[in-house]
Amino acid sequence: MGFLDELRNTVAGVSTSPADLAAAARDRSGASPDGLPLAVVRAAAVDGVQDTLRLANEHGVPVVPRGAGTGLAGGALAGRGTVVLDLSLLNRIVEIDPDDELAVVEPGVITAALDRAAQEYGLRYAPDPASAEISTIGGNIASNAGGMRCVKYGVTREAVLGLDVVLADGRLINTGRRTVKGVSGLDLTALFVGSEGTLGVVVGAALRLRPLPERTLTAAAAYDDVEAAARACSELARARREPSLLELLDGATLGVIDRAQGSDFAARGQALVIAQADGPAAEEEIAAIADVLGKQATWSERGVDPESSERLLFARRRALPSIERFGRALIEDICVPRSRLADAFRGVERIARAHDVDIYTFAHAGDGNLHPIVAYDAGSPEPPAAVRRAGDDLFALALELGGTVTGEHGIGLLKRDWLAREVGPDVLGVHGAVKAALDPRGILNPGKGF
Amino acid sequence: MGFLDELRNTVAGVSTSPADLAAAARDRSGASPDGLPLAVVRAAAVDGVQDTLRLANEHGVPVVPRGAGTGLAGGALAGRGTVVLDLSLLNRIVEIDPDDELAVVEPGVITAALDRAAQEYGLRYAPDPASAEISTIGGNIASNAGGMRCVKYGVTREAVLGLDVVLADGRLINTGRRTVKGVSGLDLTALFVGSEGTLGVVVGAALRLRPLPERTLTAAAAYDDVEAAARACSELARARREPSLLELLDGATLGVIDRAQGSDFAARGQALVIAQADGPAAEEEIAAIADVLGKQATWSERGVDPESSERLLFARRRALPSIERFGRALIEDICVPRSRLADAFRGVERIARAHDVDIYTFAHAGDGNLHPIVAYDAGSPEPPAAVRRAGDDLFALALELGGTVTGEHGIGLLKRDWLAREVGPDVLGVHGAVKAALDPRGILNPGKGF
Ligand SMILES: Cc1cc2nc3c(=O)[nH]c(=O)nc-3n(C[C@H](O)[C@H](O)[C@H](O)COP(=O)(O)OP(=O)(O)OC[C@H]3O[C@@H](n4cnc5c(N)ncnc54)[C@H](O)[C@@H]3O)c2cc1C
Ligand SMILES: Cc1cc2nc3c(=O)[nH]c(=O)nc-3n(C[C@H](O)[C@H](O)[C@H](O)COP(=O)(O)OP(=O)(O)OC[C@H]3O[C@@H](n4cnc5c(N)ncnc54)[C@H](O)[C@@H]3O)c2cc1C
């Protein structure tokens, strides 16, 4: 019996309808796969995941795990001859334990849904990718997603206590624990976090929840240029202030937001910094933060309640949608040592000029994580050559400044060459050895990640 | 040429003097190796580490990496036929970058020395094992050390940004990065953290420093019994309070402290809880914490300044030395879900009675991490059978309560059977596969860890 027949006989939820295949072949990277996958399995239970992997492993068929397909690096891109293993139906919140401040979830749970469920207990799920309303926890774990709160609360890795993982041969293992501490054996949990579906398929997770802060306050300040804004962020660090959110938007971004939303941010300055403080000292902290930020500012304001705070964050939340209103966008993601933030912004401007492309940049400034968004024409199905070359220069810039080619979106398919340049052949060799140890036949998301 | 001659010809700092061998054969676990090592290499440069591993790999000679030898799990125990690779001379603080809030260090740096160096910049190295004055950063990394501040600041893993690691065959790789975020490739940094010298030798580390809190305030409360104390800690969690330190000492421990130090803690109650709050809201937070802790207390007090705060912590700091004043001690380390703290203390008391041994228990209560100290006679060179049996029952208790057999000290040599019971054969298989991928000839600390 052929692989597909065996799969259909063994596992529920197999589809080969052209519409399903086409939908499952792509993610949000804008890149195109080299053809259509063989089949999509929408797993409704863990044993379906196990059977799919066991059969694929026996037959040497590549499997592409898939959450919501919102990834920006091509990690869930599924080409010819692959099977897509869609985890989105495994979407139960199994347990919320308010005493141990943890949740046990299936991988298809939408990130924001978990956060909302936790809020009923005075808790929250801290990692907050901007895609929280549309991405899955499993996808977040596989790509070690970051977000605006991570400057204070850490990225997804810091929120994962333990995992249920199906290995390439179909065996189910449990890593980590329900305790906050533990050093029994290698940290396999951290190894699977961020492995982009190349080492195993996450089918369950024990996640740490954090107390919902009593209050969150916001301050914003505008500056003459992006360098003054970056300097203000550095001053904040030097004053040993630890905001719970610290975002920076450049002038181009403010302009496009104004154009799309009818706002007037650009009138206040050519760069905007937004900061938050939360917890019991929020008031004292935001005052101190606003003090530092205000020094060289052309405009500044403080949110005195949740509504005015949310209004100040509005610019940041509408940045990407505003850019996408006028065309398509290559969403980039580089990270530099925080002290090199001004250099990074200056470098991005230089790259935009050199390739004659529009780049809108906003940053998780507290982490040194920039998102330069390279715009291109809505009519163009793929990014034009100048846009791709600008992208390459952005990665070179990140490495020059002692940073990394991806702060939170991952390597996926699109940044593999750049990963090689960042880490070098010996580290790639170690990646390869670990991969071969866990997935000897190489069926798990081959060609992705590393 | 034999291995030893080649080693001596190639690497500086090789000793085979019986005194050096005997000193390098043991750690602080109290266990005895099965003989003396072949040689000790006190590496004075990274290339010495590389040459030692390359030669050992060629000759199939087991290598035991060693920091300060303060480990409690037998991880640095070096038996017959091994070479001890002592990293303690590689002890330079290479760089402290106050803007990026990071330090670059060699592995032999003493933990507390780094913390003090950071303080000059208004920063600190947060992980604070009780052994901070005598242990090395390299040993801390290899065992993912914890400490009292970890309840707020995370364990060693959370402080490690990147590592220089010499692989089994002598190649030097660099993992991670100097940025706080980054997802380029597998998280090899986390894989090496806590790997107890079995995957590679740490020869350098980029470490995250944290702002030194403006103030740290302390509260303490005593209770009728340890269950009331544990309940108070649970209440604190339920009130969503997040102390920066939360320790619990049982009545037996208070008694022995009083006996050794001439204090009168036991007069205040049969269990003591000590909490701290730090940062800009320290005052407000410690007041709220003291409120919760005070409810069922027989006695309570607040530290109003650094001196009185340190006085309240005195009991905790003198606990182990007080116990060791009267004999030897098997220092245990189990971790349970925080909500099971009272059950864990009750279980420890049952085990002490069942084996007719004295067990003194204190805990990092906020993490559910208990240190039951099983006392035995100073004349006994190894723990007597009843003490060992009590130890086994402690591990069984941890697993029964959904916890782990080691919260921060590691598996080393002594807990290998218990690791197998905790994680099961499939996870052990994955450990083994990863080990084989990185160290195919099995020369790195064989028989330790997993
Ligand atoms: C508008 C927008 C905003 C975004 N903002 C952010 C942001 O702020 N921060 C950020 O980090 N990312 C962001 N992203 C990128 C993306 O949303 C995240 O990477 C997210 O974590 C992907 O989740 P997903 O469920 O869509 O995963 P997918 O895209 O389906 O998959 C992502 C990767 O994970 C693997 N995978 C998925 N599920 C599993 C599983 N259960 N087991 C094993 N492997 C699996 C896939 O094979 C693939 O390699 C954004 C994307 C968009 C479109
Ligand atoms: C009084 C006392 C209190 C303690 N309190 C704590 C505590 O609060 N929290 C805690 O976590 N631990 C504690 N410990 C245990 C111990 O101090 C820690 O495990 C510490 O991290 C060990 O550091 P070390 O330099 O002594 O390492 P060693 O004991 O020399 O080695 C420990 C392990 O790490 C490996 N290793 C050492 N250096 C390297 C390197 N550079 N590269 C690769 N592998 C290496 C060794 O092979 C061994 O497996 C305590 C010990 C004592 C004696």
Side-chain angles (χ1 to χ4, degrees), chain A residues 53-88:
Chain A
L53 286 177
R54 186 175 47 76
L55 289 174
N57 197 46
E58 278 166 25
H59 291 267
V61 174
V63 174
V64 181
R66 182 181 180 87
T70 69
L72 296 168
L77 228 58
R80 199 195 315 276
T82 64
V83 167
V84 175
L85 182 50
D86 179 335
L87 286 311
S88 61

Side-chain angles (χ1 to χ4, degrees), chain A residues 98-101 121 157 171 181 183-184 187 238 240 280-281 284 338-339 369 404 406 408 422 426, chain B residues 98-101 121 157 171 181 183-184 187 238 240 280-281 284 338-339 369 404 406 408 422 426:
Chain A
D99 287 333
D100 285 322
E101 297 183 349
Y121 300 90
R157 186 189 78 167
R171 274 178 304 159
K181 273 166 84 177
V183 288
S184 48
D187 192 348
R238 233 169 270 135
R240 304 285 172 248
E284 189 181 335
R338 218 167 47 181
S339 61
N369 187 186
T404 169
T406 175
E408 55 183 28
E422 178 175 329
D426 283 339
Chain B
D99 287 333
D100 285 323
E101 299 182 349
Y121 300 89
R157 186 189 77 166
R171 273 179 304 158
K181 275 166 84 177
V183 289
S184 49
D187 192 348
R238 231 170 270 136
R240 303 286 171 246
E284 189 181 333
R338 217 167 47 182
S339 61
N369 188 184
T404 171
T406 174
E408 55 182 28
E422 178 174 330
D426 283 339

Side-chain angles (χ1 to χ4, degrees), chain A residues 27-28 64-77 85 87 107-108 111 128-132 134-148 195-198 200-203 316 320 324 331 364 371 407-410 412 445 448, chain B residues 181:
Chain A
D27 63 8
R28 294 285 292 268
V64 181
R66 182 181 180 87
T70 69
L72 296 168
L77 228 58
L85 182 50
L87 286 311
T111 316
D128 61 338
S131 52
I134 51 174
S135 70
T136 68
I137 292 286
N140 292 174
I141 291 170
S143 55
N144 195 15
M148 294 201 270
S195 66
E196 303 193 82
T198 62
V201 176
V202 174
V203 294
R316 176 60 182 87
L320 187 59
E324 288 182 328
I331 303 173
H364 306 304
H371 292 309
E408 55 183 28
H409 294 167
N445 218 1
K448 311 289 178 55
Chain B
K181 275 166 84 177

